[in-house]
Amino acid sequence: MTSDVPVLLSSSSVFPEPTSAAFEMAATVGYDGVEVMVWTDAVSQDAGALQGLAKHYGVPVLSVHAPCLLVTQRVWSPDPWERLNRAAELAESLEAPTVVVHPPFSWQRDYARNFEPGLAKVQARHPDITFAIENMFPVRMAGRNFVPYTPGWDPTEVGFDAYTLDLSHCAAARIDSMELADRMGAGLKHVHLGDGTGEGRDEHLVPGRGTQPCAELLQSLSARGFRGSVALEVSTRKVANREVRVQDLRESLEFARRHLAPAPSGSPAFSTPA
């Protein structure tokens, strides 16, 4: 018996190969869809190009990651509201139900000050799209931690209607993803599946290669009433060649499908500590 939670391949998982390669590999390995990370690759910003790739490879775009990274601060516009609006329009044109959004950087003062009411206005213009705010992590520099987000890296401290749970970010923040999922509650709408060792940096390891409870989190989703999607966001940047990259992406998909599968009749959906 298989899960009906779609498992997506984030286009960031094939970097440094281009966005188009994500569609090719998603089709080759058997992913249910693609999450497009909007970044400096022009194809990732172009609805027509993405529609063409989705049709050619038979793999739909099911989520869009807004350009929130440091390296994407001038994609489309230096104005973060313009970038968010463009991401919503892209998702709408692709019929992708989810847009992933990071909390504001601390230096984006006007954006941060108006983030909640501004997000509500964008949501009102795009009522069929879920804007899922992603948990981040403190950054370690010169032996000290600082938080580059306002009001913080944990969006549950503010409270939003929808969240993206990123397990690699949980590892970097040295928190348990199960505990954060509990705080997100019914607002948990999307998962970025990757692993980490708790070294204080964002590792995005293949799930099962770190210390996060990736299997337990996936097994718990059915009991949580989860109706969203799971996107594999793993780093293959340093692999030796494409063959190894594909192997890592296949292992990641198999891990996700294995642990998303419903428990046999009579078995608990997931275990909890005594």
Side-chain angles (χ1 to χ4, degrees):
M1 190 173 180
T2 59
S3 168
D4 53 5
V5 173
V7 182
L8 320 182
L9 177 63
S10 169
S11 59
S12 66
S13 297
V14 306
F15 183 83
E17 294 197 57
T19 302
S20 56
F23 287 85
E24 178 187 354
M25 287 186 232
T28 298
V29 177
Y31 281 81
D32 298 313
V34 167
E35 174 170 306
V36 171
M37 170 73 79
V38 180
W39 67 301
T40 54
D41 179 354
V43 169
S44 73
Q45 307 168 29
D46 187 319
L50 293 169
Q51 288 166 343
L53 287 166
K55 182 177 181 180
H56 178 75
Y57 288 105
V59 181
V61 177
L62 295 179
S63 60
V64 169
H65 195 310
C68 303
L69 304 174
L70 281 173
V71 296
T72 60
Q73 292 301 290
R74 293 192 173 274
V75 167
W76 284 329
S77 168
D79 178 2
W81 286 119
E82 176 67 14
R83 293 198 299 275
L84 182 55
N85 280 310
R86 293 281 294 272
E89 291 166 2
L90 180 64
E92 205 163 62
S93 67
L94 296 168
E95 299 182 353
T98 304
V99 171
V100 177
V101 186
H102 288 185
F105 285 118
S106 55
W107 56 84
Q108 296 173 315
R109 293 178 182 173
D110 291 338
Y111 180 58
R113 187 180 304 115
N114 297 296
F115 186 63
E116 293 172 75
L119 181 63
K121 291 179 181 178
V122 178
Q123 177 73 79
R125 290 195 295 271
H126 304 277
D128 295 330
I129 293 175
T130 296
F131 295 85
I133 312 304
E134 184 173 6
N135 60 293
M136 302 306 292
F137 54 94
V139 176
R140 190 166 184 81
M141 292 184 66
R144 300 182 65 183
N145 285 341
F146 78 97
V147 178
Y149 306 99
T150 297
W153 59 266
D154 179 357
T156 67
E157 293 182 355
V158 176
F160 293 94
D161 292 336
Y163 301 101
T164 294
L165 174 65
D166 188 302
L167 282 81
S168 176
H169 293 176
C170 288
R174 298 177 179 173
I175 64 165
D176 189 303
S177 55
M178 295 288 280
E179 295 177 4
L180 184 56
D182 289 344
R183 294 204 297 274
M184 290 179 172
L188 176 57
K189 303 297 185 183
H190 190 63
V191 173
H192 278 169
L193 182 59
D195 214 334
T197 62
E199 289 189 356
R201 59 187 177 87
D202 193 13
E203 298 171 279
H204 285 291
L205 302 178
V206 169
R209 297 184 185 177
T211 58
Q212 279 292 305
C214 297
E216 292 84 352
L217 188 282
L218 294 175
Q219 292 162 10
S220 78
L221 291 179
S222 176
R224 294 176 188 277
F226 183 75
R227 296 292 181 269
S229 53
V230 171
L232 268 299
E233 200 177 65
V234 297
S235 176
T236 63
R237 180 170 54 91
K238 295 182 179 180
V239 299
N241 52 49
R242 174 177 269 213
E243 181 179 357
V244 178
R245 175 170 291 118
V246 171
Q247 288 173 354
D248 280 356
L249 298 180
R250 180 171 287 111
E251 179 182 333
S252 298
L253 176 60
E254 291 172 351
F255 182 100
R257 289 236 170 99
R258 181 166 65 253
H259 294 293
L260 281 168
S265 179
S267 300
F270 65 100
S271 60
T272 55

